[in-house]
Amino acid sequence: MKYKIMKKQAAAAIIIAAAVIMQGCSFAERQESQEASSEIETTMPSTAEKEEQTRESVESMESPPEEEEKGENKLRKLDGVKIIIGTDVHYLSQELTDYGQAFQHMVEYGDGRLVTYMDQITDAFLEEVIEQKPDALILTGDISSEGEKLSHEELAEKLRAVEEEGITVLVIPGNHDINNHKAAGYLEDNTYPAEYTLPQDFEAIYREFGYEDCMSRDESTLSYMYQLNQDIRVLMLDTCQYQSGYAQVGGAIMPDTYDWIEEQLEDAWDNEMIVLPFAHHNLLDQSEVYVQDCTIEHSSQLIDILQGWDISLFLSGHLHVQHMDETEGPGTIREIVTSSLTTPDCQYGILEFEDGDNFDYRTQKVDVSGWALKHGSSKMDLLQFEEFRTPFLRRVFQNEAYGVLQRFTDLTEEERRQMCAFYAELNDYYYQGRAQEIADTAINDPAYILWQEKSYPVVLTDYVGSIIDDADRDYNSMHVRDGEEFFLDKNGDILK
Protein backbone atom coordinates (compact mmCIF):
# COMPACT_ATOMS: atom_id res chain seq x y z
CA MET A 1 0.00 0.00 0.00
CA LYS A 2 1.41 3.37 -1.05
CA TYR A 3 1.15 6.08 1.54
CA LYS A 4 1.45 9.81 1.11
CA ILE A 5 3.93 10.01 3.98
CA MET A 6 6.30 7.65 2.16
CA LYS A 7 6.15 9.83 -0.92
CA LYS A 8 6.74 12.90 1.21
CA GLN A 9 9.91 11.31 2.61
CA ALA A 10 11.14 10.57 -0.90
CA ALA A 11 10.40 14.13 -2.00
CA ALA A 12 12.23 15.45 1.07
CA ALA A 13 15.30 13.38 0.18
CA ILE A 14 15.36 14.90 -3.33
CA ILE A 15 15.02 18.41 -1.91
CA ILE A 16 17.89 17.81 0.53
CA ALA A 17 20.10 16.47 -2.23
CA ALA A 18 19.31 19.49 -4.40
CA ALA A 19 20.08 21.80 -1.50
CA VAL A 20 23.50 20.17 -1.03
CA ILE A 21 24.31 20.68 -4.71
CA MET A 22 23.15 24.30 -4.54
CA GLN A 23 25.25 24.89 -1.42
CA GLY A 24 28.30 23.57 -3.28
CA CYS A 25 27.67 25.94 -6.18
CA SER A 26 27.16 28.83 -3.83
CA PHE A 27 30.45 28.09 -2.04
CA ALA A 28 32.39 27.93 -5.35
CA GLU A 29 30.86 31.23 -6.45
CA ARG A 30 31.87 32.84 -3.17
CA GLN A 31 35.45 31.55 -3.58
CA GLU A 32 35.66 33.05 -7.08
CA SER A 33 34.26 36.34 -5.82
CA GLN A 34 36.77 36.48 -2.97
CA GLU A 35 39.70 35.76 -5.31
CA ALA A 36 38.53 38.47 -7.71
CA SER A 37 38.03 41.01 -4.91
CA SER A 38 41.56 40.41 -3.62
CA GLU A 39 42.88 41.73 -6.93
CA ILE A 40 40.85 44.97 -6.69
CA GLU A 41 42.11 47.89 -4.66
CA THR A 42 39.46 48.86 -2.06
CA THR A 43 39.12 51.94 0.09
CA MET A 44 38.22 51.37 3.76
CA PRO A 45 35.28 53.47 5.04
CA SER A 46 35.97 56.31 7.46
CA THR A 47 34.84 56.26 11.11
CA ALA A 48 31.94 58.60 10.29
CA GLU A 49 30.82 56.32 7.46
CA LYS A 50 30.97 53.32 9.77
CA GLU A 51 28.76 55.09 12.32
CA GLU A 52 26.24 56.01 9.60
CA GLN A 53 26.14 52.40 8.34
CA THR A 54 25.64 51.15 11.90
CA ARG A 55 22.78 53.61 12.50
CA GLU A 56 21.01 52.57 9.27
CA SER A 57 21.46 48.90 10.17
CA VAL A 58 19.93 49.40 13.62
CA GLU A 59 16.99 51.38 12.20
CA SER A 60 16.26 48.59 9.70
CA MET A 61 16.03 46.12 12.58
CA GLU A 62 13.61 48.21 14.64
CA SER A 63 10.02 47.02 15.11
CA PRO A 64 7.46 48.04 12.43
CA PRO A 65 5.34 51.17 12.89
CA GLU A 66 2.71 51.09 15.62
CA GLU A 67 -0.20 50.75 13.20
CA GLU A 68 1.21 47.42 12.02
CA GLU A 69 1.54 46.10 15.58
CA LYS A 70 -2.19 46.22 16.26
CA GLY A 71 -2.73 42.72 14.90
CA GLU A 72 0.29 41.07 16.54
CA ASN A 73 -1.94 39.13 18.94
CA LYS A 74 -4.39 38.10 16.22
CA LEU A 75 -4.32 34.93 14.17
CA ARG A 76 -3.09 35.19 10.62
CA LYS A 77 -5.95 35.63 8.17
CA LEU A 78 -6.54 32.57 6.03
CA ASP A 79 -6.50 32.46 2.27
CA GLY A 80 -8.74 29.51 1.48
CA VAL A 81 -12.39 28.53 1.20
CA LYS A 82 -15.44 29.11 3.37
CA ILE A 83 -17.72 26.13 3.93
CA ILE A 84 -20.99 26.09 5.87
CA ILE A 85 -21.85 22.75 7.46
CA GLY A 86 -25.42 21.76 8.28
CA THR A 87 -26.17 18.34 9.67
CA ASP A 88 -29.06 16.28 11.01
CA VAL A 89 -31.71 18.58 9.56
CA HIS A 90 -34.30 15.78 9.85
CA TYR A 91 -36.62 17.65 7.52
CA LEU A 92 -40.27 16.55 7.54
CA SER A 93 -42.64 17.51 4.74
CA GLN A 94 -45.57 19.56 6.01
CA GLU A 95 -47.81 17.42 3.83
CA LEU A 96 -47.10 14.47 6.14
CA THR A 97 -48.59 15.98 9.28
CA ASP A 98 -51.73 17.69 10.54
CA TYR A 99 -49.87 18.75 13.73
CA GLY A 100 -52.37 16.70 15.71
CA GLN A 101 -52.09 14.50 18.79
CA ALA A 102 -49.81 11.84 17.31
CA PHE A 103 -47.46 14.49 15.95
CA GLN A 104 -47.32 16.43 19.23
CA HIS A 105 -46.53 13.25 21.17
CA MET A 106 -43.65 12.54 18.79
CA VAL A 107 -42.30 16.07 19.32
CA GLU A 108 -42.59 16.13 23.13
CA TYR A 109 -41.19 12.63 23.64
CA GLY A 110 -38.65 12.62 20.84
CA ASP A 111 -34.94 13.44 20.82
CA GLY A 112 -35.21 17.24 21.03
CA ARG A 113 -35.76 18.07 17.38
CA LEU A 114 -38.00 21.09 16.88
CA VAL A 115 -40.12 19.33 14.29
CA THR A 116 -43.02 21.75 14.74
CA TYR A 117 -41.00 24.57 13.15
CA MET A 118 -38.65 22.51 11.03
CA ASP A 119 -39.76 24.16 7.80
CA GLN A 120 -39.21 27.68 9.14
CA ILE A 121 -35.83 26.86 10.72
CA THR A 122 -34.66 25.31 7.45
CA ASP A 123 -35.77 28.33 5.41
CA ALA A 124 -34.09 30.73 7.85
CA PHE A 125 -30.87 28.70 7.68
CA LEU A 126 -30.77 28.59 3.89
CA GLU A 127 -31.38 32.34 3.69
CA GLU A 128 -28.37 32.88 5.97
CA VAL A 129 -26.29 30.61 3.75
CA ILE A 130 -27.18 32.68 0.70
CA GLU A 131 -26.39 35.93 2.56
CA GLN A 132 -22.97 34.64 3.66
CA LYS A 133 -22.05 33.42 0.15
CA PRO A 134 -19.74 30.53 1.15
CA ASP A 135 -17.87 28.47 -1.41
CA ALA A 136 -19.96 25.47 -0.42
CA LEU A 137 -22.85 24.27 1.74
CA ILE A 138 -22.33 20.69 2.94
CA LEU A 139 -25.10 18.62 4.56
CA THR A 140 -23.65 15.60 6.38
CA GLY A 141 -26.61 13.26 6.51
CA ASP A 142 -29.92 12.67 8.28
CA ILE A 143 -31.40 15.15 5.88
CA SER A 144 -34.92 13.76 6.37
CA SER A 145 -36.93 12.95 9.48
CA GLU A 146 -37.30 9.21 8.86
CA GLY A 147 -36.37 8.82 5.21
CA GLU A 148 -39.71 9.92 3.72
CA LYS A 149 -39.29 10.33 -0.03
CA LEU A 150 -41.55 13.37 0.00
CA SER A 151 -39.38 15.05 2.66
CA HIS A 152 -36.27 14.53 0.51
CA GLU A 153 -37.97 15.92 -2.56
CA GLU A 154 -39.15 19.06 -0.75
CA LEU A 155 -35.74 19.74 0.79
CA ALA A 156 -34.01 19.25 -2.56
CA GLU A 157 -36.24 21.95 -4.01
CA LYS A 158 -35.16 24.34 -1.23
CA LEU A 159 -31.50 23.53 -1.90
CA ARG A 160 -31.89 24.51 -5.56
CA ALA A 161 -32.42 28.10 -4.47
CA VAL A 162 -28.98 28.01 -2.84
CA GLU A 163 -27.26 26.61 -5.93
CA GLU A 164 -28.98 29.22 -8.09
CA GLU A 165 -26.98 31.80 -6.10
CA GLY A 166 -23.74 30.20 -7.26
CA ILE A 167 -23.09 28.24 -4.04
CA THR A 168 -22.00 24.61 -4.38
CA VAL A 169 -24.24 22.25 -2.39
CA LEU A 170 -23.00 18.76 -1.46
CA VAL A 171 -24.94 16.08 0.43
CA ILE A 172 -24.45 12.57 1.77
CA PRO A 173 -27.02 10.30 3.44
CA GLY A 174 -27.33 9.53 7.14
CA ASN A 175 -28.82 6.51 8.85
CA HIS A 176 -32.34 8.04 8.78
CA ASP A 177 -32.39 8.77 5.05
CA ILE A 178 -32.48 5.49 3.09
CA ASN A 179 -34.27 2.16 3.52
CA ASN A 180 -35.92 3.53 6.64
CA HIS A 181 -39.12 1.57 7.21
CA LYS A 182 -40.11 3.99 9.98
CA ALA A 183 -41.05 6.60 7.36
CA ALA A 184 -44.43 7.88 8.48
CA GLY A 185 -47.05 10.58 8.34
CA TYR A 186 -49.16 11.90 11.24
CA LEU A 187 -52.94 12.20 11.18
CA GLU A 188 -54.92 13.06 14.31
CA ASP A 189 -53.92 10.49 16.95
CA ASN A 190 -52.46 7.98 14.49
CA THR A 191 -49.45 7.48 12.26
CA TYR A 192 -49.50 5.95 8.80
CA PRO A 193 -46.74 4.54 6.57
CA ALA A 194 -45.12 6.95 4.13
CA GLU A 195 -43.12 6.01 1.05
CA TYR A 196 -39.52 5.52 2.09
CA THR A 197 -36.42 6.28 0.02
CA LEU A 198 -34.28 3.72 -1.78
CA PRO A 199 -30.58 4.31 -2.56
CA GLN A 200 -31.33 4.99 -6.23
CA ASP A 201 -34.07 7.45 -5.19
CA PHE A 202 -31.64 9.38 -3.00
CA GLU A 203 -29.10 9.69 -5.79
CA ALA A 204 -31.76 10.81 -8.25
CA ILE A 205 -33.31 13.38 -5.91
CA TYR A 206 -29.95 14.93 -4.99
CA ARG A 207 -28.14 14.31 -8.28
CA GLU A 208 -27.24 18.00 -8.77
CA PHE A 209 -25.89 18.28 -5.22
CA GLY A 210 -22.67 16.35 -5.67
CA TYR A 211 -23.48 13.20 -7.59
CA GLU A 212 -23.89 14.66 -11.07
CA ASP A 213 -20.65 16.63 -11.13
CA CYS A 214 -18.39 14.57 -8.86
CA MET A 215 -15.03 13.46 -10.22
CA SER A 216 -15.33 9.90 -8.83
CA ARG A 217 -18.08 7.68 -7.41
CA ASP A 218 -17.72 4.61 -5.22
CA GLU A 219 -19.51 1.72 -6.93
CA SER A 220 -20.61 0.12 -3.63
CA THR A 221 -22.04 3.13 -1.80
CA LEU A 222 -23.13 6.75 -2.22
CA SER A 223 -19.63 8.02 -1.45
CA TYR A 224 -17.96 10.38 -3.91
CA MET A 225 -15.02 12.74 -4.42
CA TYR A 226 -15.74 16.32 -5.47
CA GLN A 227 -13.31 18.88 -6.87
CA LEU A 228 -14.21 22.03 -4.92
CA ASN A 229 -11.55 24.31 -6.42
CA GLN A 230 -8.12 24.05 -8.01
CA ASP A 231 -6.51 23.06 -4.69
CA ILE A 232 -9.16 21.26 -2.61
CA ARG A 233 -11.11 18.06 -3.06
CA VAL A 234 -13.97 17.07 -0.77
CA LEU A 235 -14.28 13.40 0.15
CA MET A 236 -17.96 12.69 0.91
CA LEU A 237 -18.19 9.34 2.71
CA ASP A 238 -21.39 7.32 2.89
CA THR A 239 -21.03 5.47 6.22
CA CYS A 240 -24.56 4.03 6.34
CA GLN A 241 -25.23 0.31 6.47
CA TYR A 242 -28.26 -1.83 5.83
CA GLN A 243 -29.28 -5.37 6.73
CA SER A 244 -31.86 -7.10 4.54
CA GLY A 245 -32.93 -3.71 3.20
CA TYR A 246 -33.36 -2.08 6.63
CA ALA A 247 -31.33 0.93 7.75
CA GLN A 248 -29.10 0.43 10.79
CA VAL A 249 -28.31 3.15 13.34
CA GLY A 250 -24.57 2.52 13.47
CA GLY A 251 -22.12 3.30 10.70
CA ALA A 252 -19.48 1.36 8.81
CA ILE A 253 -17.37 1.51 5.67
CA MET A 254 -17.53 -1.42 3.29
CA PRO A 255 -14.27 -3.25 2.35
CA ASP A 256 -14.52 -2.25 -1.31
CA THR A 257 -15.01 1.37 -0.27
CA TYR A 258 -11.72 1.33 1.62
CA ASP A 259 -9.97 0.40 -1.64
CA TRP A 260 -11.76 3.25 -3.42
CA ILE A 261 -10.79 5.70 -0.65
CA GLU A 262 -7.14 4.63 -0.96
CA GLU A 263 -7.22 5.20 -4.72
CA GLN A 264 -8.78 8.64 -4.32
CA LEU A 265 -6.27 9.79 -1.74
CA GLU A 266 -3.32 8.61 -3.80
CA ASP A 267 -4.66 10.36 -6.88
CA ALA A 268 -5.17 13.55 -4.87
CA TRP A 269 -1.58 13.39 -3.61
CA ASP A 270 -0.21 12.77 -7.11
CA ASN A 271 -2.09 15.87 -8.29
CA GLU A 272 -1.01 17.96 -5.27
CA MET A 273 -4.58 18.27 -3.99
CA ILE A 274 -5.71 18.85 -0.41
CA VAL A 275 -8.48 16.46 0.71
CA LEU A 276 -11.18 17.43 3.19
CA PRO A 277 -13.27 14.43 4.35
CA PHE A 278 -16.89 14.52 5.57
CA ALA A 279 -19.11 11.71 6.90
CA HIS A 280 -22.32 11.29 8.85
CA HIS A 281 -21.04 8.93 11.54
CA ASN A 282 -18.11 9.81 13.79
CA LEU A 283 -14.52 8.81 13.16
CA LEU A 284 -13.57 8.93 16.86
CA ASP A 285 -15.33 7.91 20.08
CA GLN A 286 -16.93 11.30 20.67
CA SER A 287 -19.29 9.83 23.27
CA GLU A 288 -18.12 7.56 26.08
CA VAL A 289 -21.57 5.97 26.33
CA TYR A 290 -22.95 5.80 22.77
CA VAL A 291 -19.91 4.41 20.97
CA GLN A 292 -21.57 1.49 19.19
CA ASP A 293 -24.23 3.61 17.49
CA CYS A 294 -22.13 6.69 16.78
CA THR A 295 -18.55 5.71 15.91
CA ILE A 296 -17.81 4.09 12.55
CA GLU A 297 -17.22 0.36 13.09
CA HIS A 298 -13.52 -0.55 12.95
CA SER A 299 -12.75 3.12 12.38
CA SER A 300 -9.10 2.45 13.21
CA GLN A 301 -8.67 1.25 9.63
CA LEU A 302 -9.95 4.55 8.27
CA ILE A 303 -7.79 6.45 10.76
CA ASP A 304 -4.69 4.57 9.56
CA ILE A 305 -5.45 5.40 5.93
CA LEU A 306 -6.10 9.09 6.65
CA GLN A 307 -2.95 9.38 8.75
CA GLY A 308 -0.95 7.62 6.06
CA TRP A 309 -1.98 10.27 3.55
CA ASP A 310 -1.34 13.08 6.02
CA ILE A 311 -4.98 14.14 6.43
CA SER A 312 -5.51 15.92 9.73
CA LEU A 313 -9.13 17.16 9.77
CA PHE A 314 -12.39 15.17 9.65
CA LEU A 315 -15.96 16.50 9.95
CA SER A 316 -19.13 14.64 10.88
CA GLY A 317 -22.56 14.84 12.54
CA HIS A 318 -24.97 12.14 13.83
CA LEU A 319 -24.32 12.76 17.54
CA HIS A 320 -26.60 15.85 17.71
CA VAL A 321 -24.06 17.22 20.22
CA GLN A 322 -21.54 19.95 19.45
CA HIS A 323 -18.21 18.24 20.09
CA MET A 324 -14.55 17.78 19.11
CA ASP A 325 -11.79 15.26 19.71
CA GLU A 326 -8.47 14.21 18.25
CA THR A 327 -6.28 11.15 17.88
CA GLU A 328 -3.30 10.65 20.15
CA GLY A 329 0.33 10.33 19.11
CA PRO A 330 1.91 11.30 15.79
CA GLY A 331 -0.23 12.08 12.76
CA THR A 332 -2.94 13.90 14.71
CA ILE A 333 -6.42 13.91 13.21
CA ARG A 334 -8.85 16.46 14.63
CA GLU A 335 -12.54 15.61 14.29
CA ILE A 336 -15.25 18.26 14.55
CA VAL A 337 -18.84 17.14 15.13
CA THR A 338 -21.46 19.75 14.27
CA SER A 339 -24.69 19.56 16.28
CA SER A 340 -28.15 19.01 14.79
CA LEU A 341 -29.46 22.03 12.90
CA THR A 342 -33.03 21.60 14.13
CA THR A 343 -32.25 20.77 17.76
CA PRO A 344 -31.90 23.88 19.96
CA ASP A 345 -29.73 25.95 19.86
CA CYS A 346 -30.32 25.29 16.12
CA GLN A 347 -26.79 26.06 15.01
CA TYR A 348 -24.48 25.23 12.12
CA GLY A 349 -20.76 25.15 11.52
CA ILE A 350 -18.66 27.66 9.58
CA LEU A 351 -15.29 26.36 8.38
CA GLU A 352 -12.68 28.69 6.89
CA PHE A 353 -10.17 26.24 5.50
CA GLU A 354 -6.74 26.74 3.99
CA ASP A 355 -5.35 23.27 4.59
CA GLY A 356 -5.35 20.65 7.34
CA ASP A 357 -2.83 22.63 9.37
CA ASN A 358 -4.54 26.01 8.97
CA PHE A 359 -8.26 26.48 9.53
CA ASP A 360 -10.89 28.17 11.67
CA TYR A 361 -14.16 26.59 12.77
CA ARG A 362 -17.00 28.17 14.71
CA THR A 363 -20.71 27.67 15.20
CA GLN A 364 -23.49 30.13 14.54
CA LYS A 365 -27.11 30.02 15.69
CA VAL A 366 -29.82 30.40 13.09
CA ASP A 367 -31.53 33.76 13.58
CA VAL A 368 -35.05 32.38 13.53
CA SER A 369 -36.57 35.45 15.24
CA GLY A 370 -35.02 37.79 12.68
CA TRP A 371 -36.29 35.61 9.85
CA ALA A 372 -39.80 35.47 11.35
CA LEU A 373 -39.93 39.26 11.72
CA LYS A 374 -38.65 39.77 8.18
CA HIS A 375 -41.30 37.45 6.72
CA GLY A 376 -44.19 38.80 8.78
CA SER A 377 -44.82 35.72 10.90
CA SER A 378 -47.44 36.02 13.65
CA LYS A 379 -46.22 33.00 15.65
CA MET A 380 -44.78 34.15 18.97
CA ASP A 381 -42.69 30.95 19.29
CA LEU A 382 -40.76 32.08 16.22
CA LEU A 383 -40.72 35.81 16.94
CA GLN A 384 -39.38 35.07 20.44
CA PHE A 385 -37.37 32.03 19.46
CA GLU A 386 -34.56 32.67 21.95
CA GLU A 387 -37.07 32.43 24.81
CA PHE A 388 -38.90 29.45 23.30
CA ARG A 389 -36.22 26.98 22.25
CA THR A 390 -34.40 26.32 25.56
CA PRO A 391 -37.54 25.56 27.63
CA PHE A 392 -38.71 23.28 24.82
CA LEU A 393 -35.50 21.27 24.76
CA ARG A 394 -35.34 20.96 28.54
CA ARG A 395 -38.95 19.80 28.65
CA VAL A 396 -38.11 17.02 26.17
CA PHE A 397 -35.08 16.00 28.25
CA GLN A 398 -37.17 16.00 31.43
CA ASN A 399 -39.69 13.70 29.75
CA GLU A 400 -36.84 11.39 28.74
CA ALA A 401 -35.42 11.26 32.27
CA TYR A 402 -38.80 10.80 33.93
CA GLY A 403 -39.55 7.81 31.71
CA VAL A 404 -36.36 6.18 33.03
CA LEU A 405 -36.63 7.22 36.69
CA GLN A 406 -40.22 6.17 37.27
CA ARG A 407 -39.07 2.55 37.46
CA PHE A 408 -37.10 3.31 40.64
CA THR A 409 -39.70 2.93 43.38
CA ASP A 410 -37.39 4.02 46.19
CA LEU A 411 -37.25 7.53 44.75
CA THR A 412 -39.72 10.11 46.00
CA GLU A 413 -41.57 12.23 43.47
CA GLU A 414 -39.64 15.29 44.65
CA GLU A 415 -36.33 13.48 44.08
CA ARG A 416 -37.45 12.50 40.58
CA ARG A 417 -38.38 16.09 39.86
CA GLN A 418 -34.97 17.35 41.03
CA MET A 419 -33.11 14.70 39.03
CA CYS A 420 -35.11 15.40 35.87
CA ALA A 421 -34.51 19.15 36.10
CA PHE A 422 -30.79 18.59 36.73
CA TYR A 423 -30.50 16.20 33.78
CA ALA A 424 -32.38 18.57 31.47
CA GLU A 425 -30.14 21.55 32.23
CA LEU A 426 -26.89 19.57 32.09
CA ASN A 427 -27.80 17.84 28.82
CA ASP A 428 -28.94 21.13 27.30
CA TYR A 429 -25.51 22.68 27.94
CA TYR A 430 -23.84 19.51 26.68
CA TYR A 431 -25.77 19.58 23.39
CA GLN A 432 -24.62 23.17 22.85
CA GLY A 433 -20.98 22.21 23.54
CA ARG A 434 -20.88 24.43 26.65
CA ALA A 435 -21.12 21.98 29.58
CA GLN A 436 -17.91 23.35 31.08
CA GLU A 437 -19.86 26.48 32.06
CA ILE A 438 -21.84 24.58 34.71
CA ALA A 439 -19.65 21.53 35.43
CA ASP A 440 -18.24 22.86 38.72
CA THR A 441 -21.65 23.66 40.18
CA ALA A 442 -23.26 20.53 38.71
CA ILE A 443 -20.87 18.15 40.45
CA ASN A 444 -21.88 19.60 43.83
CA ASP A 445 -25.61 19.58 43.12
CA PRO A 446 -27.60 17.21 45.40
CA ALA A 447 -29.42 15.94 42.31
CA TYR A 448 -26.10 14.75 40.86
CA ILE A 449 -25.53 12.68 44.01
CA LEU A 450 -29.00 11.18 43.57
CA TRP A 451 -28.13 10.19 40.01
CA GLN A 452 -24.95 8.48 41.21
CA GLU A 453 -26.47 6.73 44.21
CA LYS A 454 -30.11 5.95 43.40
CA SER A 455 -30.42 5.36 39.65
CA TYR A 456 -27.82 2.71 38.99
CA PRO A 457 -27.57 0.83 36.69
CA VAL A 458 -29.14 2.74 33.78
CA VAL A 459 -27.50 4.26 30.71
CA LEU A 460 -28.54 7.78 31.67
CA THR A 461 -26.53 7.55 34.89
CA ASP A 462 -23.37 6.75 32.92
CA TYR A 463 -24.30 9.48 30.47
CA VAL A 464 -24.58 12.11 33.21
CA GLY A 465 -21.16 11.11 34.54
CA SER A 466 -19.62 11.23 31.07
CA ILE A 467 -20.88 14.78 30.52
CA ILE A 468 -19.16 15.95 33.70
CA ASP A 469 -15.93 14.13 32.77
CA ASP A 470 -15.97 15.61 29.29
CA ALA A 471 -16.70 19.22 30.29
CA ASP A 472 -13.16 20.59 29.97
CA ARG A 473 -13.58 23.10 27.11
CA ASP A 474 -16.03 24.96 24.91
CA TYR A 475 -16.58 22.88 21.77
CA ASN A 476 -17.93 25.68 19.58
CA SER A 477 -14.70 26.87 18.01
CA MET A 478 -11.30 25.68 16.88
CA HIS A 479 -8.47 27.76 15.46
CA VAL A 480 -5.40 26.01 14.04
CA ARG A 481 -2.25 27.51 12.53
CA ASP A 482 0.67 25.37 11.34
CA GLY A 483 -0.90 22.40 13.12
CA GLU A 484 -1.11 24.14 16.51
CA GLU A 485 -4.46 24.99 18.11
CA PHE A 486 -4.97 28.48 19.51
CA PHE A 487 -7.61 29.67 21.96
CA LEU A 488 -9.04 33.16 21.69
CA ASP A 489 -10.54 35.53 24.24
CA LYS A 490 -13.82 37.42 23.74
CA ASN A 491 -11.97 40.08 21.74
CA GLY A 492 -10.48 37.55 19.37
CA ASP A 493 -6.99 37.90 20.82
CA ILE A 494 -4.81 34.85 21.35
CA LEU A 495 -4.83 33.64 24.95
CA LYS A 496 -1.30 33.26 26.23
Side-chain angles (χ1 to χ4, degrees):
M1 178 166 51
K2 282 177 139 184
Y3 281 108
K4 177 177 179 180
I5 203 162
M6 294 167 63
K7 292 191 173 187
K8 183 183 284 187
Q9 291 171 346
I14 294 172
I15 292 171
I16 291 170
V20 170
I21 294 172
M22 292 179 66
Q23 278 188 330
C25 293
S26 177
F27 178 77
E29 290 170 354
R30 286 200 302 269
Q31 287 288 87
E32 292 175 0
S33 176
Q34 289 172 1
E35 291 172 0
S37 64
S38 65
E39 299 175 0
I40 300 174
E41 182 177 348
T42 59
T43 304
M44 298 298 291
S46 66
T47 303
E49 289 174 330
K50 285 183 179 180
E51 290 176 352
E52 178 62 17
Q53 291 173 358
T54 302
R55 183 185 63 77
E56 291 175 352
S57 176
V58 169
E59 286 178 349
S60 69
M61 295 173 62
E62 288 178 352
S63 58
E66 184 177 349
E67 59 266 24
E68 296 182 12
E69 291 181 349
K70 291 180 179 178
E72 65 179 2
N73 203 35
K74 302 287 187 182
L75 289 181
R76 174 180 65 83
K77 291 291 185 181
L78 296 177
D79 180 20
V81 300
K82 179 178 180 180
I83 297 172
I84 290 181
I85 304 149
T87 189
D88 296 85
V89 181
H90 290 286
Y91 185 82
L92 177 68
S93 167
Q94 293 186 80
E95 293 186 27
L96 293 173
T97 180
D98 63 352
Y99 299 93
Q101 183 178 343
F103 175 83
Q104 292 302 329
H105 185 273
M106 179 269 292
V107 172
E108 294 291 333
Y109 292 89
D111 58 5
R113 285 177 276 154
L114 250 171
V115 192
T116 306
Y117 300 114
M118 183 130 358
D119 195 59
Q120 294 89 337
I121 295 169
T122 303
D123 286 349
F125 166 61
L126 294 180
E127 279 197 13
E128 289 187 23
V129 171
I130 292 172
E131 289 171 2
Q132 294 191 44
K133 300 187 182 303
D135 295 277
L137 165 64
I138 296 181
L139 302 182
T140 57
D142 278 2
I143 302 171
S144 65
S145 180
E146 294 290 354
E148 310 85 8
K149 189 175 180 182
L150 186 58
S151 297
H152 282 303
E153 290 171 342
E154 283 191 12
L155 183 59
E157 188 62 35
K158 292 178 182 291
L159 295 178
R160 288 188 184 97
V162 179
E163 281 224 325
E164 287 172 0
E165 296 295 325
I167 300 168
T168 298
V169 179
L170 305 176
V171 307
I172 44 172
N175 54 287
H176 279 251
D177 291 324
I178 295 173
N179 288 341
N180 190 345
H181 294 253
K182 294 180 181 179
Y186 301 86
L187 180 62
E188 298 178 349
D189 59 350
N190 294 304
T191 62
Y192 60 89
E195 183 180 4
Y196 63 86
T197 307
L198 299 171
Q200 58 267 32
D201 298 328
F202 186 93
E203 183 177 359
I205 292 169
Y206 296 108
R207 66 183 181 277
E208 66 247 66
F209 308 120
Y211 292 101
E212 192 172 52
D213 298 322
C214 66
M215 58 175 298
S216 179
R217 267 289 312 277
D218 175 35
E219 295 181 358
S220 304
T221 68
L222 287 166
S223 300
Y224 60 94
M225 181 74 91
Y226 190 91
Q227 186 81 45
L228 186 59
N229 63 19
Q230 62 180 3
D231 299 311
I232 299 173
R233 292 179 182 177
V234 178
L235 178 61
M236 302 290 284
L237 293 175
D238 174 11
T239 54
C240 300
Q241 56 179 335
Y242 314 97
Q243 291 183 6
S244 302
Y246 284 77
Q248 306 298 301
V249 176
I253 292 180
M254 301 299 104
D256 289 346
T257 302
Y258 276 117
D259 294 336
W260 174 81
I261 292 171
E262 189 79 50
E263 292 169 1
Q264 297 308 307
L265 297 182
E266 181 169 9
D267 182 74
W269 167 251
D270 289 341
N271 288 280
E272 300 182 345
M273 294 291 165
I274 299 166
V275 176
L276 186 56
F278 290 82
H280 179 65
H281 295 87
N282 309 139
L283 178 70
L284 308 177
D285 293 340
Q286 299 283 348
S287 169
E288 295 179 8
V289 177
Y290 301 110
V291 173
Q292 183 174 355
D293 288 338
C294 292
T295 308
I296 298 169
E297 291 181 13
H298 311 296
S299 63
S300 58
Q301 183 175 351
L302 180 57
I303 291 171
D304 287 344
I305 292 175
L306 296 176
Q307 287 178 327
W309 292 101
D310 203 22
I311 293 175
S312 54
L313 179 61
F314 192 94
L315 298 107
S316 61
H318 186 56
L319 191 63
H320 287 207
V321 173
Q322 187 63 41
H323 206 264
M324 301 169 179
D325 202 357
E326 64 183 48
T327 58
E328 297 179 355
T332 299
I333 299 177
R334 294 180 173 91
E335 180 179 22
I336 300 175
V337 180
T338 301
S339 56
S340 168
L341 180 72
T342 49
T343 301
D345 276 341
C346 301
Q347 59 191 27
Y348 53 94
I350 300 175
L351 176 68
E352 294 182 269
F353 180 81
E354 191 171 275
D355 55 46
D357 290 332
N358 297 276
F359 64 86
D360 292 324
Y361 172 93
R362 62 183 174 86
T363 61
Q364 182 162 314
K365 299 176 185 178
V366 180
D367 183 12
V368 178
S369 296
W371 177 91
L373 183 63
K374 174 183 175 182
H375 290 271
S377 174
S378 60
K379 289 188 175 293
M380 295 308 297
D381 289 348
L382 296 176
L383 291 169
Q384 299 178 357
F385 195 69
E386 291 284 341
E387 292 76 19
F388 166 73
R389 61 186 173 193
T390 298
F392 162 79
L393 185 62
R394 293 189 183 186
R395 186 168 66 249
V396 171
F397 288 154
Q398 286 182 3
N399 290 338
E400 177 191 12
Y402 192 84
V404 171
L405 294 177
Q406 63 182 347
R407 75 182 71 166
F408 294 93
T409 56
D410 59 334
L411 286 171
T412 67
E413 191 62 22
E414 176 60 20
E415 287 174 330
R416 286 194 191 90
R417 187 193 66 78
Q418 292 177 4
M419 293 170 70
C420 288
F422 172 85
Y423 172 78
E425 181 181 21
L426 183 66
N427 203 24
D428 175 22
Y429 273 86
Y430 183 54
Y431 264 53
Q432 318 318 325
R434 300 187 293 112
Q436 92 289 348
E437 293 180 16
I438 63 167
D440 290 341
T441 56
I443 202 167
N444 295 311
D445 194 307
Y448 177 67
I449 306 302
L450 289 172
W451 273 102
Q452 300 302 306
E453 294 182 351
K454 289 196 172 185
S455 64
Y456 192 82
V458 292
V459 172
L460 283 193
T461 302
D462 293 335
Y463 181 61
V464 167
S466 71
I467 293 175
I468 299 295
D469 293 341
D470 190 52
D472 57 1
R473 64 167 292 178
D474 187 307
Y475 291 103
N476 285 278
S477 65
M478 181 179 287
H479 308 276
V480 174
R481 295 293 183 278
D482 298 324
E484 180 182 356
E485 183 174 359
F486 292 87
F487 295 90
L488 308 181
D489 63 17
K490 62 181 180 180
N491 298 317
D493 291 324
I494 299 171
L495 290 171
K496 298 296 185 183

